[in-house]
Amino acid sequence: MANISANKNVESVDYSAIEAMESFNKFVKKKNTFLFSITAAFLILYILLPILAFQPVLQQKIIGNITGVWVYSAGLFIMTIVLCTVYVKKASSFDKAAAAVLAEYHAKGGK
């Protein structure tokens, strides 16, 4: 087993210096806003299913014997796929923003 402390290529990073950077704080705020809003939307719509399932609005037949509950449930699957796709696309921009923050840290003399 290799001795990890013997590895001279390990990069030391001053995390408190990065945390003090304005660009890092903007990045974290933007990312958290996106993540919390998308999570809140998912949870609200998901938790509404058992609440609305017994309400007259979703008990109505829409197509043949298919009630609104089934349509709402299918919509939740579609919503999950859409939210996952949106997150995957947005994650690449978060990766670029994180790389820009690290580049700024290194440009300011950070090691």
Side-chain angles (χ1 to χ4, degrees):
M1 182 180 262
N3 187 356
I4 294 175
S5 62
N7 188 353
K8 303 292 184 199
N9 295 331
V10 175
E11 182 180 326
S12 76
V13 176
D14 183 8
Y15 292 105
S16 54
I18 293 176
E19 186 179 8
M21 294 171 50
E22 183 66 29
S23 59
F24 174 75
N25 291 321
K26 286 181 182 178
F27 162 68
V28 170
K29 184 177 181 179
K30 184 178 178 182
K31 183 177 177 183
N32 285 344
T33 301
F34 172 75
L35 291 176
F36 286 125
S37 62
I38 203 168
T39 301
F42 174 81
L43 287 175
I44 289 169
L45 291 172
Y46 188 76
I47 291 172
L48 279 177
L49 176 62
I51 296 169
L52 295 176
F54 300 103
Q55 300 302 317
V57 67
L58 290 184
Q59 291 295 326
Q60 297 176 14
K61 293 181 180 180
I62 295 176
I63 303 170
N65 286 332
I66 299 174
T67 62
V69 175
W70 287 102
V71 174
Y72 190 87
S73 299
L76 289 178
F77 282 101
I78 294 168
M79 175 198 64
T80 302
I81 293 168
V82 168
L83 291 180
C84 287
T85 304
V86 167
Y87 175 76
V88 167
K89 299 225 185 259
K90 190 74 172 171
S92 65
S93 70
F94 289 143
D95 291 342
K96 290 175 186 173
V101 168
L102 283 176
E104 180 184 340
Y105 167 74
H106 290 299
K108 290 182 177 180
K111 295 183 178 187

